[in-house]
Amino acid sequence: MRSRSTNRRFARWALVLPAFALVAAACGGDDDTTADEPPAVEDDGTESEDSGSEPASGDGDDGGDGDDATEDGSEASEPAGGDDEPADMAEDLTLTVGVVAEPLTLDPQHHRNRGTQIVSRKVHDNLVYLDPLSADRIYVWKLATGAEQVDDLTWDVFLREGVEFHDGYPFNSESVLYTYERLFDEELNSPRATMGSQSLITEIEAIDDYTVRFHTSELIEANEQGFPIALGLYSQEMLRPGIYDGVSLEEAATMPTVGTGPWKFVEWEQGQYVRFERNDDYWDGPPQPSELVMRFIPESSTLSAELITASVDLIYPVDSDTMAGLAGQDGIEVTAAPGTSMTMLQVSVQEGRQFADLDLRLGLNAAIDRNLIVDNLFQGFAVTETQMTPRPIEGDTDPAAGYDQDSEGYQYDPDLARELLAPLAGETIELHSATNNLLMAEVVAEQLRQVGLDVEVIPEDPAAMSSAIDSGEYDIWIQAYGGLEDIGNNWDTHFSCATNEAGIVRTGYCNPEQDARMEEARGLDEEEREQVYSEIGKELNANPPWVPLWTLNEIAAYRDYVSDFVLSPVGQLNLWNVKLNK
């Protein structure tokens, strides 16, 4: 046995506030330029073999539909949500998708970015994925077919047989071990290694070619569906063994990627597009289009124009203003789904920073009229967030631990905000924002100005944003994160002292006593654990390192000849089932 140990809703825009009109004029100007078209693919176009790799964000799922299976690892049933027979493959038919964000890297283990993950999961598969046909976060087996709990500290995961990487290399236990070995490599310092409760993994061993055993330092229980998600089965794309051997991080960022997914990587023309070709041998049935091109179009007005002229077949994400302009257009369909990515102001609580004092952070939370912004800027296509843990999705009768159903959370109170924020009079407040979020940032900044703060919005390059946030060298940053529904799973990522000590500072929040309680809670039964999570959730609300704002709906638009497109609630483009009827 080989083992590895580690230490380890439609509504038109209503201009209620003059500030909205001013901000829109300043930040929402039209852009008549269009992104460059990719060159035509040669008939003999090929992809590079062996030395490949690609990206992922950790907070979303892409969609080849996976298979159901029994927990003992028996053979899975037909794909959930997919056809019983593979789609008819079309020759010389290209699916062209316009996306706002370009990937930061082609290395699936060196980022925490949804735009990167969208690209990554076209090529790579996970052991488990989220069914895009369900808004209730239903997990489905993918490269794994089941799992079995051996004892309190041990899980066996059973792998799908007969799957190959794009270059013909077999997928088996070796791939899983290689994926996690590289993930936990201290020299790599992967930002994905702290996702969920993966830090509890102490050893991984191959029992046989298609069984992998995970050892943990504490009890990891299955979720209500029987999946040990905390092991990272959903978070990590499986790597081809040896693909990164002798490869630097700089080289891995741009080298061709090889996976087991429905699309084969062809080329990345930075600033313009990434191109894939169909994997005719995909284990779950090949896509219908012969080619997929994802064009990078950051300007929303240009993105909309490209769809109207049918220069692209589908666009994502669509902001609420653009959606209103597209609704009713001949030949265009608009679709929306509840989102799972909460937008907040990340506020540094580190000593010496402007908002280290708790009263100032409570003042920020009282300064924002969330309802006004959601109703007008987002036209109702969002829900307000008033606690550190997101509110449950509509219809969810079992909200995540950490969300206080008996509290209204932070409420808009401009008088209180002026009082609490008075000590900052005369100081300039820098609000950092990615360049593709400037309208949102300016609206928030204007509300802060209304309560007496001198706020300057600092545009930041999205490509450099993740490392800048992780450094903690800022006072306020507007940002969004997914996967926050379970305080137990996201504690290590956002609030743990150990994460700070590892150099991922972000807000700098650290409470050793809470860390100890969170660690102890993971070994308790479900009822006792939920009680601890609830208590810590209330404590976070009382001492917030964030200003929770809203969760935006996921919105996409496409031409009416596109069929079988299902919008993912977790910010991924599920394109495996998509068909072009033209």
Side-chain angles (χ1 to χ4, degrees):
M1 294 186 295
R2 182 183 175 201
S3 66
R4 185 248 188 229
S5 296
T6 177
N7 294 323
R8 320 220 44 207
R9 316 164 189 175
F10 280 89
R12 297 296 301 177
W13 180 305
L15 292 175
V16 175
L17 285 181
F20 284 136
L22 292 173
V23 169
C27 303
D30 293 335
D31 184 345
D32 295 328
T33 61
T34 58
D36 294 338
E37 294 284 356
V41 173
E42 299 297 328
D43 291 339
D44 61 348
T46 59
E47 73 165 313
S48 300
E49 296 185 1
D50 290 329
S51 301
S53 135
E54 61 60 61
S57 146
D59 305 333
D61 125 81
D62 165 87
D65 285 308
D67 295 350
D68 295 318
T70 61
E71 289 188 16
D72 63 0
S74 59
E75 190 58 37
S77 63
E78 291 299 325
D83 296 330
D84 289 342
E85 298 294 333
D88 293 334
M89 294 186 288
E91 297 300 327
D92 302 322
L93 192 58
T94 298
L95 172 60
T96 304
V97 179
V99 294
V100 171
E102 182 168 13
L104 307 180
T105 176
L106 292 182
D107 183 342
Q109 293 185 331
H110 209 65
H111 73 92
R112 292 292 300 275
N113 175 265
R114 279 192 172 182
T116 302
Q117 184 163 298
I118 284 174
V119 170
S120 174
R121 294 192 177 179
K122 301 300 168 282
V123 177
H124 292 261
D125 285 330
N126 304 57
L127 296 174
V128 170
Y129 87 120
L130 278 171
D131 183 358
L133 299 180
S134 170
D136 299 322
R137 299 179 69 84
I138 301 299
Y139 290 94
V140 182
W141 297 110
K142 200 162 190 176
L143 288 181
T145 60
E148 181 178 54
Q149 190 164 15
V150 178
D151 57 42
D152 284 353
L153 303 179
T154 311
W155 277 92
D156 282 350
V157 176
F158 309 104
L159 307 181
R160 187 175 302 281
E161 301 184 24
V163 178
E164 293 183 346
F165 287 89
H166 298 153
D167 62 356
Y169 198 93
F171 165 78
N172 53 32
S173 298
E174 182 186 14
S175 174
V176 180
L177 265 63
Y178 183 83
T179 299
Y180 280 88
E181 285 171 354
R182 184 173 187 267
L183 179 73
F184 293 132
D185 187 330
E186 293 182 359
E187 292 186 5
L188 176 65
N189 193 25
S190 170
R192 303 183 69 76
T194 57
M195 294 176 64
S197 300
Q198 293 176 134
S199 60
L200 301 180
I201 298 172
T202 58
E203 184 182 4
I204 306 172
E205 57 180 326
I207 301 303
D208 56 41
D209 283 350
Y210 296 100
T211 306
V212 178
R213 178 162 292 175
F214 288 78
H215 299 273
T216 61
S217 59
E218 298 176 20
L219 173 67
I220 287 182
E221 292 189 333
N223 67 3
E224 62 276 8
Q225 302 163 42
F227 291 82
I229 298 303
L231 294 176
L233 306 186
Y234 167 70
S235 305
Q236 309 304 331
E237 289 86 26
M238 294 296 103
L239 304 181
R240 182 202 184 282
I243 198 167
Y244 290 109
D245 291 355
V247 176
S248 69
L249 285 177
E250 291 74 18
E251 293 169 329
T254 57
M255 64 187 284
T257 174
V258 175
T260 62
W263 302 96
K264 296 181 177 182
F265 175 84
V266 175
E267 63 175 334
W268 177 17
E269 187 67 30
Q270 294 190 23
Q272 297 184 45
Y273 62 88
V274 60
R275 185 195 303 279
F276 311 88
E277 65 183 16
R278 176 178 59 216
N279 178 10
D280 291 344
D281 300 317
Y282 186 50
W283 62 269
D284 208 8
Q288 179 228 29
S290 57
E291 180 184 57
L292 169 64
V293 174
M294 299 180 70
R295 293 175 51 198
F296 314 130
I297 310 174
E299 173 56 48
S300 60
S301 61
T302 305
L303 193 67
S304 174
E306 293 289 284
L307 183 66
I308 291 171
T309 60
S311 296
V312 299
D313 305 308
L314 185 151
I315 60 175
Y316 171 86
V318 176
D319 61 46
S320 54
D321 194 32
T322 301
M323 180 204 64
L326 290 172
Q329 288 271 359
D330 288 342
I332 291 177
E333 302 287 341
V334 180
T335 182
T340 58
S341 182
M342 185 171 79
T343 301
M344 78 284 288
L345 298 181
Q346 283 194 145
V347 186
S348 177
V349 301
Q350 300 173 82
E351 185 176 351
R353 289 288 176 183
Q354 284 177 308
F355 293 92
D357 184 85
L358 172 60
D359 280 349
L360 297 176
R361 300 197 302 278
L362 295 176
L364 287 176
N365 270 291
I368 307 300
D369 190 341
R370 299 164 175 83
N371 289 320
L372 184 65
I373 296 175
V374 164
D375 291 344
N376 294 279
L377 182 62
F378 302 128
Q379 305 179 59
F381 279 83
V383 294
T384 60
E385 299 292 359
T386 61
Q387 297 187 34
M388 291 288 292
T389 298
R391 68 176 71 240
I393 294 175
E394 186 176 353
D396 188 348
T397 58
D398 185 24
Y403 183 81
D404 187 354
Q405 298 186 79
D406 298 325
S407 172
E408 293 183 345
Y410 312 115
Q411 298 297 300
Y412 176 54
D413 188 336
D415 293 334
L416 176 62
R418 290 187 188 95
E419 177 185 343
L420 294 177
L421 294 170
L424 294 178
E427 295 188 26
T428 298
I429 311 300
E430 293 186 347
L431 171 57
H432 297 261
S433 169
T435 52
N436 57 348
N437 284 332
L438 289 180
L439 176 57
M440 186 188 304
E442 285 289 355
V443 169
V444 171
E446 183 60 31
Q447 291 217 326
L448 295 177
R449 294 174 189 131
Q450 296 297 318
V451 296
L453 294 183
D454 179 12
V455 181
E456 179 184 359
V457 174
I458 308 298
E460 299 283 0
D461 179 5
M465 185 174 66
S466 181
S467 59
I469 291 175
D470 287 352
S471 73
E473 297 297 322
Y474 65 91
D475 288 301
I476 312 179
W477 199 303
I478 190 165
Q479 171 67 338
Y481 291 108
L484 302 178
E485 297 85 359
D486 189 327
I487 193 173
N489 280 345
N490 73 64
W491 183 265
D492 290 345
T493 301
H494 296 289
F495 310 116
S496 167
C497 298
T499 303
N500 273 264
E501 293 163 2
I504 305 176
V505 178
R506 297 184 177 172
T507 66
Y509 185 91
C510 171
N511 185 316
E513 187 269 340
Q514 289 177 339
D515 279 352
R517 287 159 59 201
M518 288 296 294
E519 189 167 331
E520 181 181 359
R522 288 166 177 152
L524 302 176
D525 63 35
E526 183 176 2
E527 184 176 351
E528 291 175 316
R529 184 171 61 252
E530 297 280 309
Q531 180 61 37
V532 174
Y533 289 174
S534 177
E535 292 169 356
I536 293 179
K538 292 177 182 179
E539 293 167 15
L540 271 180
N541 287 337
N543 183 20
W546 294 345
V547 179
L549 297 173
W550 45 74
T551 293
L552 295 173
N553 284 8
E554 296 289 335
I555 307 173
Y558 52 90
R559 301 296 307 187
D560 58 4
Y561 52 74
V562 173
S563 65
D564 294 356
F565 172 67
V566 179
L567 186 61
S568 164
V570 291
Q572 296 298 299
L573 277 176
N574 305 297
L575 301 176
W576 171 71
N577 264 348
V578 170
K579 299 178 180 66
L580 297 176
N581 306 298
K582 64 175 182 177

